[in-house]
Amino acid sequence: ADLGLGEHRVAALRYAPVGASAVPMDALETEAIIRMITDAATSAGLRAETVGSIRRGKTGGHDLDFLLTTTDAAATTTPPPPPKEEEAEGRRPTGTTDRRAAARSTIVGARSKGDDPVANEVPRDLFYACYDELVQTVRTKVVVTEITGAGHGKVSTTSRDDRLIVRRVVIQSPTRPDAVRHVDLVLTPPSLWAHALLGWSGTRHFVRQLCDYVAHVHEGRWATAGKEIVGQRGWDLDTAGNARVEPAVSGRRLDLDKKERWHWSSIGVFIVAGTSKDFRFVYEEDNAGFPDEQSIFRFFNLEYRPPHERCC
């Protein structure tokens, strides 16, 4: 019966973890999938790292999450051979090397004119080309079915989170021929790697608690933090909360009369103003200046907690 569900929801139901797919992955299967995805990512010019419960040390799940970003090799890596079925049918393989090179050329050309389209936004053409090549590489080894909704999926925890792109695929288990596994591929700009790594490593409760702490730590005159959180270097934003207002500023503090508060998510550190339900972005920290998770903890005057200690 037609239930009025979208194609991606029908696919999700079709490949739900039942039967053999309901059996949790063991260490051998987990390692095989990680190796397969990371090798394919490297071939496509992408950096990959496992996130989610695996990064926290948990084993025995039914799916895997990978954080991906572009690398300098994205324009020069050699593409994988086309799938055999395409060769047999005489169709033109869906290689993406030309698309990657064209996207990289556009970026380099813009930089030579003084612009930097990669600084704040996802270089989407390059990401899509690299992603397509990654999936093509995996498809030559196992059956891949994409179950993301129409277009390129997005994560939306704030109005600015279209900088992260999420694609979900279903792969046939490399060690259990009768089982399928869900894999989430999260693409992020290199400048937001540390924030995305922290946000997607979870747990959801830990991330929610961190966000709440950041938003309310100024209350009580910073008694909880021990000292005030001060911006290192960043930009005030226009009234729409999108464009940076030059020049960059240092030592940005909250204006409590305007109901400002710090805000953190997997797309970085900001200051927002307004209520929790109706707010706008007023300041953007130089988020590329956070090289790792430890630097984010330090910014908020917190003791670093490694992934395995975030299972609250």
Side-chain angles (χ1 to χ4, degrees):
D2 184 4
L3 301 178
L5 300 175
E7 292 183 6
H8 65 291
R9 297 191 183 279
V10 173
L13 290 173
R14 181 181 301 121
Y15 295 103
V18 297
S21 302
V23 178
M25 294 182 291
D26 57 20
L28 181 64
E29 182 181 8
T30 300
E31 292 172 2
I33 295 176
I34 292 175
R35 184 167 54 252
M36 178 181 64
I37 297 296
T38 53
D39 287 350
T42 300
S43 175
L46 294 169
R47 171 187 178 186
E49 184 166 337
T50 54
V51 289
S53 59
I54 293 296
R55 189 165 184 261
R56 299 193 307 272
K58 181 181 177 181
T59 58
H62 298 87
D63 55 27
L64 286 171
D65 301 327
F66 290 85
L67 186 64
L68 306 168
T69 194
T70 53
T71 68
D72 290 338
T76 59
T77 50
T78 303
K84 292 183 179 179
E85 60 269 24
E86 291 189 343
E87 292 180 326
E89 295 175 12
R91 291 187 285 117
R92 183 177 179 179
T94 56
T96 54
T97 305
D98 292 342
R99 290 173 57 198
R100 285 193 296 148
R104 178 66 73 182
S105 176
T106 299
I107 293 168
V108 173
R111 282 178 171 167
S112 66
K113 297 178 181 179
D115 300 325
D116 190 350
V118 197
N120 302 304
E121 301 298 330
V122 177
R124 293 178 182 275
D125 291 343
L126 182 60
F127 266 14
Y128 293 160
C130 290
Y131 169 82
D132 291 342
E133 185 168 317
L134 178 143
V135 173
Q136 177 181 317
T137 303
V138 178
R139 185 178 286 122
T140 64
K141 302 178 181 179
V142 295
V143 175
V144 177
T145 300
E146 190 167 354
I147 61 174
T148 302
H152 292 269
K154 297 179 180 179
V155 175
S156 297
T157 55
T158 76
S159 61
R160 302 173 65 89
D161 267 0
D162 59 342
R163 295 180 181 179
L164 299 184
I165 304 170
V166 181
R167 306 289 294 271
R168 170 167 290 185
V169 296
V170 176
I171 68 172
Q172 180 179 326
S173 168
T175 60
R176 294 175 176 269
D178 53 348
V180 295
R181 303 301 185 189
H182 289 200
V183 175
D184 279 348
L185 305 173
V186 184
L187 289 86
T188 182
S191 59
L192 299 179
W193 176 265
H195 302 283
L197 184 64
L198 177 57
W200 277 85
S201 293
T203 61
R204 290 184 180 180
H205 181 69
F206 175 84
V207 171
R208 188 182 304 116
Q209 291 287 80
L210 178 58
C211 292
D212 288 345
Y213 172 84
V214 168
H216 299 288
V217 67
H218 65 279
E219 299 170 359
R221 301 188 180 218
W222 307 97
T224 304
K227 61 180 179 179
E228 182 181 5
I229 297 172
V230 180
Q232 299 173 358
R233 179 182 183 275
W235 298 265
D236 287 318
L237 302 175
D238 62 12
T239 55
N242 293 317
R244 295 173 174 177
V245 177
E246 297 289 352
V249 297
S250 301
R252 179 65 155 82
R253 286 178 161 82
L254 298 183
D255 186 337
L256 299 182
D257 291 336
K258 295 181 179 179
K259 297 183 178 180
E260 290 185 352
R261 64 185 183 277
W262 286 102
H263 174 93
W264 174 84
S265 75
S266 54
I267 63 164
V269 175
F270 299 86
I271 291 178
V272 299
T275 65
S276 58
K277 294 184 179 180
D278 183 19
F279 65 87
R280 64 185 181 89
F281 292 87
V282 298
Y283 170 83
E284 177 181 2
E285 186 70 13
D286 181 11
N287 288 301
F290 293 84
D292 48 37
E293 293 176 311
Q294 290 89 332
S295 62
I296 300 174
F297 280 81
R298 285 195 301 270
F299 182 86
F300 292 119
N301 303 319
L302 292 171
E303 179 183 353
Y304 175 70
R305 291 190 176 276
H308 69 273
E309 293 184 3
R310 304 173 196 167
C311 300
C312 51

